[in-house]
Amino acid sequence: MTNKKRKKIALLFGGNSAEHEISIVTALQAYQAVDPLEFETIPVYITQQGKWYTGDALFKKASYKAFDPDTLNLKRVTLLPEPEIQGLLIYGKNNKIDLNQKIEIDACLLCFHGQQGEDGAMQGLLELADLPYTGSPIAASALAMNKSHCKALLSHFGIPTLPWTVVRKKEAVVNFENVIETILNNKEMSFPLFVKPTQLGSSIGISKVLNENELRRSLAQVFVYDNEAIIEPCLTSVLEINVSVLEGHPPLASVVETPISSDGALSYEDKYLRGGKNSDVQGMASLQRIIDPKDLDESIKKSVQNYAIKGFSILGCLGLVRFDFMLDLNENRLYFNELNPIPGSLSFYLWEKSHPQKIYTDLLSDLIFMAIMRKKENLSLKKNLDNLQKVITA
Amino acid sequence: MWAKAFDTKGTLILALAFLGRFFFEPTFLYFLLSSGFLYSFFKEEDPRVFGKIPLKMTNRAKRLFLVSLSLSFILLLSAYALGDFFKELLFFAFFLQMQPLILLLSWLFLHPDEKRRQNKFLRQASLKLEKVDPFVIGITGSYGKTSTKHALAHLLNTCVGPTFFPKGSVNTPMGITVEVNEKLKPYHQFAVIEMAAYGIGSIRNLSCITKPKAAILTNIGLAHLERFKLTETIQKAKAELAEALPKGGLLVCNGDSPLIREIANNHRDKNIIFYGYSDHLGPLDLLIEFKENTLKGTSFTFTWKGKCYSGTTPLFGKANLSNIAASFAMSSELGGNPDFLMAAIGCMEPVNNRLEIKQDKGVTYIKDAYNSNPLGFKDALEVMEALPGQRKFLMTPGMIELGPLQAHENEEAGKRASRFLDTALIVGKVNREALNRGLSSQMTPSQVLFFDFREEALAFLKKEAREGDVILLENDLTDIYESKSSF
């Protein structure tokens, strides 16, 4: 294939998010796997200050140690919410944007994690810019990222979840003691409990609390990162089971995995800091896990996959997501835990062991082509009612 | 890094060229000279790569470099006007030794333009602060400024409202200006600004830009005594922050410091809050009681407005607790719920290299390398003594900038450490004698090791440390103190 026929894919990552570094890991892994015959990958890194850069140095891990756009010869770029541009605009001298200086883009491969990239904000910008992008659309992304809303919707449709309660930072600021008392008086909330930020992933800010003092500290910890905390009872004997779901007719579930945690629940350290230093593999791909465990009951695996596929459809997800479940080993009951609309390492390790197997390169190609196809389908939708004149002259 | 008395390579090349004139034509010698200089250029250490903090070629550094290069080029060209090979060589030798002066001249040449640029940024920052109008809280003191800034920003952000604060230890007018211009947002309710006193008038200037409405005075000690000469001068410099507050402005003061109490007494028109460990100097609004240090952190109580609050923090040391107390008092006065504040103290993170405790393969590292002062060093040793461990190691170059008290304070620190240490590693030569005198009071010569460079001491520790050991890394000096002297 000649260069002309390759599609130009903007690999978007980084962002103003607590999971910024994890996004870099996911993006670098994805870059290694994208089919170079089909696609020309253009890295687009968004700093935590919200500045967008592109350049070949972004493909090197070392570039992020002491990030300096000048030393790395990066170009500053931006994306305007205007459909006719169809690409990134380059900043020129004196930080001025020239509409004639642009990098054309055919589609965007999203490798964000956390706020603004995974929760519908970036998706909204890309919709306005009318650029195809991988993954779930705005509403599904926003719902998926909010643990409380996601649980409410899925439980309404019969997917089992543990009871939960939500605490808002505003309430704690006004009367912290009242907030603590309300939790302690809630019969469904007895120790041990899990306290988590409502809208963050990667196990950031998650704590298991055994008593009131720990509850106080953990709530404060959550409010460092989020304006809402979700609190759930903690299962005493639990097995975490994750599964990925890929868009399709019908959606397809991967094999399941059971990640191995250090302390009964996966921490940020488990996911991203253990085993990474001496290994080329990082992020979720480096986590210790058992993929398609032979000693897990087939009926449990099937239930997990079925619930995940059902949840995928209920929420209106697209592309590829990862559902996390918990199995109460005492009661042999399954509960939905959380949904990752853009999972770490795009869960490629699950698809490489699935039946049919999907290697990472093919998975990425599928995601990109699905995104382009969706954009084509949307072109046929009518966007105005030709009623403007009637409204103005009425 | 190398510290040289004067340029050697270039001068040697010129000397050889001088001798070579008796045998070769000037054209050939110029060719050899150029090759020689190019070779020595590439053999020089690149400051952008070497050193603890490599040189960053900012726009200002680039301007300075270009002007120096241009000036050098003009001088070199003018050498040819001499018309005599030997005179030219002499001129080149003089030119080489004058390189530091050329840099200085370039700085002087650029100074008016730099001043104009800086004033423009300062005006921008001032206007931005005026427009956003956050409630500005200034923090100053001989030590604890950065730790207190981070603690206060954490408490305000978590429990009261969005708070802007320059990260790290940015505390100069230009540093703060850059941070304000780049990171202050319209919705920031508070701004916490650390203010360093580099001389009389520094804090006054900073206050003119930032217009603080409240302040924390952490303490007045011996840090930077070399620069200020007298503690009274330090006190005067710090008092500028109290002076800058409006009438009725909130002034949170360390009640354990007599010099701080003096400043507070001279500003009775402010709303003064005292915090501290003891009321022997006067009443306290917040009484701190330190309970204990464990590997998980510090447990304590605060008695505040008649109520006792118990808590724990992952931070260590009495100095840190004092900084946290100041932040608690300020946050509470600004509307923070005390119970919520106590919970937030429980999840505070230490500032890098300020009594930061890390575990690695069963070895406990107390990283207190940012800088050191007598109180901080004492605190770090107390924390180390309290922690359980098989063996205890101290690695330090000692404290600097203490003027005439430097030797004495290092000796005292050594004495304190010798009571419980197993091994001391003294880095560099600056405080070697004084530390050794102190350590030798209760340690044998085999327990005190000397290293010229930090890397050597670290390599020793990496080899020697075993599970269960506790290692205190106290202070780290800049390259100039560790540079290899070379003729």
Side-chain angles (χ1 to χ4, degrees), chain B residues 216-255:
Chain B
I216 296 179
L217 303 182
T218 58
N219 49 52
I220 289 171
L222 301 174
H224 309 304
L225 186 63
E226 195 173 281
R227 194 184 304 155
F228 286 94
K229 310 297 179 207
L230 297 169
T231 48
E232 285 75 20
T233 314
I234 300 174
Q235 183 193 30
K236 196 174 171 189
K238 303 297 182 189
E240 288 172 4
L241 181 52
E243 279 158 27
L245 297 185
K247 191 175 169 181
L250 187 53
L251 182 59
V252 174
C253 299
N254 185 342

Side-chain angles (χ1 to χ4, degrees), chain B residues 327-346:
Chain B
S327 308
F328 174 92
M330 178 64 77
S331 304
S332 187
E333 286 294 289
L334 293 176
N337 178 305
D339 296 300
F340 195 9
L341 291 170
M342 290 301 289
I345 288 171

Side-chain angles (χ1 to χ4, degrees), chain A residues 98-133:
Chain A
D98 180 353
L99 288 175
N100 295 318
Q101 294 285 320
K102 72 174 177 184
I103 302 170
E104 286 184 356
I105 298 291
D106 293 306
C108 301
L109 171 58
L110 302 188
C111 289
F112 295 106
H113 298 305
Q115 304 103 314
Q116 298 187 356
E118 205 179 354
D119 61 1
M122 182 57 63
Q123 288 76 5
L125 175 63
L126 291 166
E127 289 286 351
L128 290 173
D130 204 27
L131 283 172
Y133 57 92

Side-chain angles (χ1 to χ4, degrees), chain B residues 69-88:
Chain B
L69 205 60
S70 307
L71 203 51
S72 302
F73 188 65
I74 293 167
L75 285 169
L76 282 172
L77 276 182
S78 61
Y80 287 104
L82 292 169
D84 178 87
F85 184 76
F86 291 111
K87 282 183 188 168
E88 284 164 12

Side-chain angles (χ1 to χ4, degrees), chain B residues 297-421:
Chain B
T298 307
S299 55
F300 63 93
T301 64
F302 288 158
T303 305
W304 169 248
K305 296 192 174 178
K307 196 173 167 189
C308 187
Y309 299 89
S310 294
T312 56
T313 176
L315 274 57
F316 294 86
K318 287 182 179 164
N320 263 330
L321 193 56
S322 180
N323 300 333
I324 290 169
S327 308
F328 174 92
M330 178 64 77
S331 304
S332 187
E333 286 294 289
L334 293 176
N337 178 305
D339 296 300
F340 195 9
L341 291 170
M342 290 301 289
I345 288 171
C347 63
M348 229 173 234
E349 282 178 11
V351 183
N352 274 349
N353 283 308
R354 286 164 173 86
L355 262 188
E356 195 188 355
I357 297 200
K358 298 244 185 227
Q359 300 267 328
D360 185 27
K361 293 174 191 154
V363 178
T364 303
Y365 291 89
I366 307 171
K367 296 168 80 176
D368 199 31
Y370 179 72
N371 62 18
S372 193
N373 58 76
L375 202 62
F377 204 149
K378 182 169 173 256
D379 216 18
L381 289 172
E382 277 175 11
V383 170
M384 190 188 198
E385 195 176 2
L387 293 179
Q390 297 289 335
R391 300 181 298 172
K392 295 190 180 174
F393 293 78
L394 166 67
M395 178 183 129
T396 184
M399 299 170 279
I400 56 165
E401 289 192 38
L402 298 176
L405 297 175
Q406 185 159 322
H408 169 76
E409 291 297 335
N410 277 292
E411 191 177 330
E412 287 301 304
K415 274 187 196 157
R416 243 174 258 126
S418 70
R419 289 200 299 257
F420 63 88
L421 271 190

Side-chain angles (χ1 to χ4, degrees), chain A residues 59-70:
Chain A
F59 290 132
K60 295 175 195 150
K61 206 161 68 167
S63 300
Y64 303 93
K65 275 188 184 162
F67 184 77
D68 182 354
D70 293 326

